[in-house]
Amino acid sequence: MPLGEQVANNLPYLRRYARALTGSQSTGDAFVRQTLEAALADDELKASLADGRVPLYRAFNKVWSSAYLETAGDAPETGAHESAAHDRLSAITPLNRQALLLTTLEDFTIDQTAEIMDLDSDSVEKLVQEAIEEIDRESSTSVLIIEDEPLISMQLEDLVTSLGHEICGTAATRTQAQEVVAERTPGLVLADIQLADGSSGLDAVDDILALDSVPVIFITAYPERLLTGDRPEPTYLVTKPFKEATVRTAISQALFFNSSQPLG
């Protein structure tokens, strides 16, 4: 497979990781662009990308580690969420959350994560454990689940409550989501893209975000369709079928930044 095609195939998932790490579509996508620009300027780095996802994420990690605060400060302010995300970057503990995101959201092994982060495997395992302990100390919130598959909805309910959060409602359609929010604004939304009556989870979320800035995690079988970088897109995406650890990590990161409203 040509190098350009191989990188293009991995790019949506690097965008997903970058957005989750930074809490912002625009900041995350900016880091991805910087990574590609660095590869174009360095023949050795560009050649290394032929070895797959690990060297691509390793290249991104070097850009992130050396410049994330500067980029966050220089990125354009586009609203309350973007400003809050930039403020949060100054207090972030990047190493342990990075290790957790790589091993859960991106499904790298401990050894692969160690290579990406330029650490030894024991250090990565300790960082992951630190991040999990941080999650266990997080404050609870109320969660709205928008999902039309009953079994998946129940699985998400069990997971959310096991983390100490409460369910403020479940919905299988956009209309049902509107009814729940009319009674109570959630502190977090987990949303499928395709809903039972043909309505869109994206539209249901837009209804909620028109009322208040709420963290949102989209759960979809086709994440690459929402990771093009060409338009305002979700910040947090989990791929179906999902692992509970992946959803747990996404919830933690979304609450860490306190909002995931799509940003241009």
Side-chain angles (χ1 to χ4, degrees):
M1 181 185 298
L3 178 59
E5 183 178 345
Q6 181 173 314
V7 172
N9 288 341
N10 289 325
L11 210 52
Y13 304 100
L14 183 62
R15 289 195 187 99
R16 173 179 63 185
Y17 169 66
R19 293 175 188 181
L21 184 66
T22 63
S24 160
Q25 178 190 342
S26 61
T27 303
D29 288 358
F31 276 112
V32 171
R33 286 193 298 273
Q34 288 185 37
T35 301
L36 296 178
E37 289 168 358
L40 288 173
D42 185 327
D43 290 340
E44 183 177 352
L45 176 59
K46 182 169 67 174
S48 73
L49 301 185
D51 293 331
R53 291 177 73 218
V54 169
L56 179 62
Y57 280 66
R58 180 179 171 85
F60 173 89
N61 179 71
K62 290 184 179 298
V63 173
W64 160 258
S65 299
S66 64
Y68 77 92
L69 286 176
E70 179 182 350
T71 302
D74 293 344
E77 299 293 334
T78 56
H81 164 53
E82 192 75 359
S83 178
H86 294 160
D87 289 344
R88 202 71 171 98
L89 283 170
S90 65
I92 197 171
T93 51
L95 286 180
N96 59 9
R97 287 189 175 270
Q98 187 173 0
L100 187 62
L101 287 166
L102 287 168
T103 54
T104 54
L105 188 67
E106 300 305 318
D107 204 26
F108 286 110
T109 66
I110 291 292
D111 288 344
Q112 288 172 326
T113 300
E115 183 177 349
I116 290 168
M117 298 181 68
D118 199 21
L119 297 170
D120 60 75
S121 296
D122 288 343
S123 295
V124 169
E125 288 183 339
K126 290 178 182 178
L127 288 170
V128 169
Q129 186 57 43
E130 286 176 8
I132 291 172
E133 290 171 358
E134 281 188 3
I135 293 174
D136 292 338
R137 294 195 296 268
E138 287 177 344
S139 300
S140 62
T141 191
S142 60
V143 181
L144 167 61
I145 297 172
I146 306 175
E147 170 60 61
D148 66 337
E149 292 288 342
L151 289 178
I152 295 178
S153 182
M154 286 188 284
Q155 183 182 2
L156 290 172
E157 285 187 60
D158 289 343
L159 174 59
V160 165
T161 54
S162 74
L163 293 175
H165 305 300
E166 63 172 322
I167 305 297
C168 71
T170 60
T173 67
R174 180 183 181 182
T175 299
Q176 290 176 3
Q178 291 171 333
E179 292 170 353
V180 172
V181 175
E183 297 292 328
R184 181 181 180 188
T185 301
L188 173 70
V189 176
L190 304 181
D192 192 5
I193 303 296
Q194 301 294 334
L195 301 181
D197 60 351
S199 59
S200 168
L202 293 168
D203 292 336
V205 166
D206 283 343
D207 295 337
I208 298 169
L209 294 179
L211 301 174
D212 198 3
S213 179
V214 178
V216 179
I217 299 168
F218 284 100
I219 301 176
T220 174
Y222 306 101
E224 65 277 2
R225 296 179 183 177
L226 295 171
L227 292 164
T228 66
D230 295 332
R231 59 185 182 277
E233 297 169 328
T235 300
Y236 302 100
L237 281 170
V238 171
T239 303
K240 286 183 176 180
F242 58 80
K243 297 178 181 178
E244 290 193 357
T246 304
V247 179
R248 175 189 177 110
T249 301
I251 289 174
S252 172
Q253 197 70 356
L255 293 176
F256 181 80
F257 283 107
N258 199 35
S259 177
S260 62
Q261 182 173 350
L263 297 161

